[in-house]
Amino acid sequence: MPVKQRIRRLAFASIFVAFGVMALKFAAWRVTGSVALYSDALESIVNVIAAGAAYWAIRVSHKPADDDHPHGHHKAEYFSAVTEGVLIVLASMLIMREAWTALQAPRLMDEPSLGLAINGLAALANAAWAAVLIRTGRRERSPALEADGRHIMTDVVTSVGVIIGLVGAIVTGWAVLDPLLAVIVALNILWQGWKVIGQSVQGLMDVAADPEDTRKIRDIISLNSKGALEVHDLKTRIAGRATFIEFHLVVDSTMTVGESHVICDRIEAALQAEVPSVRVIIHVEPDDEAKLPPGTTAVPFA
């Protein structure tokens, strides 16, 4: 199955998983009346909206380049991730409001065993699905898919913490633990939402490839630049799944256009074989534009 089709199917399936988990969590809340479980269920509404936003963004990002978007639509996924972060922050505020109300008159849960069992089932389903999304998002360079997975994994951690805390409330009889747990949940997802927004904004700002990937790109260019004199002014930027690479290739001024084009094709083919969804721009320059001293035999990078 093509990569793009696999990503779209996972994003679409994520919507149904989110609905299923939301139903389980609201069932757990209805059974127990716990404000902590209500806060967990409220966050699952965000998961549903975020899954829908991620699916839309992935479909848009997979559209081919057109006259209005000659470089493609890759950054659409970052908008989805920013939206998801904002929704997480909004959910935390709603949870805080409910927790404050419950703190005024704390009470123990009804049917705690059944409610916690239902919530535990929802957490297990979420954990398995989040692992799939994060792994696929990283491998296929899909920010929206990975952000959705990370958000769901945050939800899993929240659910586990809530379950442990509520068990403690049952054992000790301290009803106030229920709304206090809701406050902790709200603070945790507020922090996670802030991180999601920060990472997405970095993507929208044309962040460069990380140092490890940059070293790999330099090595590929050096190994395949035989016949050239030098490479300098390497620039990279990441946009969704795509990696944009631009650099200057210095050749002998007596070299023909056809000969220099052969070198460029060789470098570009090597990069395409090693770097997913790469876009390469090479500026060919004569030897008087070189930055290294004449006769240098080291790796041809200035």
Side-chain angles (χ1 to χ4, degrees):
M1 182 188 299
V3 171
K4 290 183 178 180
Q5 185 178 354
R6 184 163 65 249
I7 291 175
R8 284 197 298 268
R9 286 191 176 184
L10 279 175
F12 188 63
S14 195
I15 299 173
F16 293 95
V17 173
F19 269 114
V21 169
M22 182 181 71
L24 286 173
K25 289 190 174 185
F26 271 101
W29 165 62
R30 293 289 294 177
V31 166
T32 62
S34 163
V35 69
L37 290 181
Y38 175 72
S39 68
D40 204 11
L42 194 62
E43 187 183 1
S44 67
I45 297 177
V46 178
N47 290 353
V48 172
I49 298 172
Y55 177 65
W56 168 83
I58 287 170
R59 283 184 61 87
V60 172
S61 72
H62 287 175
K63 289 182 178 180
D66 53 35
D67 291 340
D68 292 329
H69 307 88
H71 296 290
H73 301 75
H74 309 288
K75 290 189 177 181
E77 295 197 34
Y78 290 117
F79 288 104
S80 167
V82 170
T83 300
E84 187 167 341
V86 172
L87 288 172
I88 293 173
V89 172
L90 177 61
S92 70
M93 294 178 179
L94 293 174
I95 292 169
M96 282 286 196
R97 187 186 67 178
E98 294 299 323
W100 175 254
T101 301
L103 277 170
Q104 312 307 309
R107 69 179 186 83
L108 290 173
M109 295 182 292
D110 304 320
E111 300 289 342
S113 299
L114 178 59
L116 292 179
I118 294 172
N119 212 60
L121 178 62
L124 287 174
N126 255 353
W129 189 246
V132 171
L133 294 180
I134 293 172
R135 184 171 62 249
T136 306
R138 284 176 177 170
R139 185 177 66 244
E140 308 301 348
R141 299 281 291 274
S142 173
L145 210 60
E146 186 177 352
D148 197 22
R150 287 187 179 281
H151 179 198
I152 294 173
M153 191 60 78
T154 301
D155 195 19
V156 173
V157 174
T158 298
S159 297
V160 172
V162 165
I163 291 171
I164 293 173
L166 289 179
V167 169
I170 295 167
V171 172
T172 62
W174 295 348
V176 73
L177 285 178
D178 186 11
L180 286 178
L181 279 171
V183 172
I184 295 173
V185 169
L187 293 174
N188 178 55
I189 66 174
L190 183 64
W191 171 242
Q192 295 301 324
W194 178 254
K195 288 199 296 184
V196 168
I197 292 172
Q199 291 168 357
S200 303
V201 169
Q202 280 280 56
L204 289 171
M205 293 292 289
D206 285 341
V207 66
D210 63 43
E212 183 178 348
D213 287 339
T214 300
R215 282 193 297 270
K216 177 182 177 182
I217 290 167
R218 287 173 64 97
D219 289 343
I220 293 170
I221 295 171
S222 292
L223 287 171
N224 293 275
S225 59
K226 183 178 179 180
L229 300 177
E230 176 185 304
V231 177
H232 60 245
D233 291 350
L234 173 66
K235 297 176 183 177
T236 64
R237 67 182 178 94
I238 305 297
R241 299 178 318 283
T243 299
F244 291 83
I245 300 171
E246 179 181 347
F247 58 91
H248 294 199
L249 183 74
V250 179
V251 300
D252 193 296
S253 58
T254 62
M255 182 177 287
T256 66
V257 173
E259 289 170 333
S260 63
H261 193 264
V262 169
I263 301 173
C264 293
D265 282 347
R266 185 169 65 241
I267 296 172
E268 188 170 354
L271 287 168
Q272 289 172 341
E274 297 292 334
V275 183
S277 302
V278 70
R279 308 287 191 276
V280 184
I281 298 176
I282 305 174
H283 302 274
V284 178
E285 298 181 334
D287 49 19
D288 59 359
E289 295 292 333
K291 295 186 177 182
L292 291 172
T296 300
T297 58
V299 176
F301 256 95

